Amino acid sequence: MANGASTHDLILAVVARIPKGRVATYGQIARLAGLPGHARLVGYALHALPEHSRVPWHRVINAEGRISLRSDGLGHDQLQRVLLQRESVRFSARGVISLERFQWRPRT
């Protein structure tokens, strides 16, 4: 790992780069963080964020263009949708975000 950074640090550094109005998938974040095949680790890193973190966790969605439902019952999936809609990210009637239109494509 670069400069002694933890895997969570690497992941969060990538997530922090996602611009407003764009989304990235868990797998995409893992690849950009140098952790291909570890999409689930991205979810763990985001879940571990402190409540008032400034990391834009809400911009990370699954490969189907959907918000991943959480089993914690705290309403984070509804909050995620509201935060994305405030950034002009649009959902289809089925609750899907068009990756073709809204996916972040960084110049690596």
Side-chain angles (χ1 to χ4, degrees):
M1 277 160 245
N3 303 324
S6 74
T7 55
H8 282 205
D9 292 338
L10 295 171
I11 290 165
L12 298 178
V14 174
V15 173
R17 293 175 46 211
I18 306 169
K20 285 183 180 177
R22 295 288 173 204
V23 296
T25 66
Y26 292 95
Q28 176 185 3
I29 297 300
R31 282 189 306 278
L32 290 169
L35 303 162
H38 291 280
R40 196 168 282 190
L41 185 58
V42 174
Y44 296 145
L46 294 177
H47 182 76
L49 281 173
E51 187 174 339
H52 296 291
S53 171
R54 297 177 63 75
V55 174
W57 61 270
H58 62 283
R59 297 180 187 146
V60 183
I61 60 173
N62 69 31
E64 296 175 351
R66 296 180 180 273
I67 291 172
S68 293
L69 299 178
R70 291 158 179 84
S71 60
D72 59 14
L74 297 176
H76 288 111
D77 42 333
Q78 292 95 346
L79 174 60
Q80 185 173 9
R81 183 179 175 115
V82 168
L83 292 172
L84 288 170
Q85 287 174 321
R86 284 183 188 164
E87 294 182 0
S88 299
V89 173
R90 298 290 166 241
F91 292 79
S92 74
R94 294 183 354 245
V96 178
I97 297 168
S98 168
L99 291 176
E100 184 176 311
R101 181 172 176 194
F102 291 105
Q103 187 170 22
W104 174 48
R105 291 176 176 79
R107 295 184 183 125
T108 37

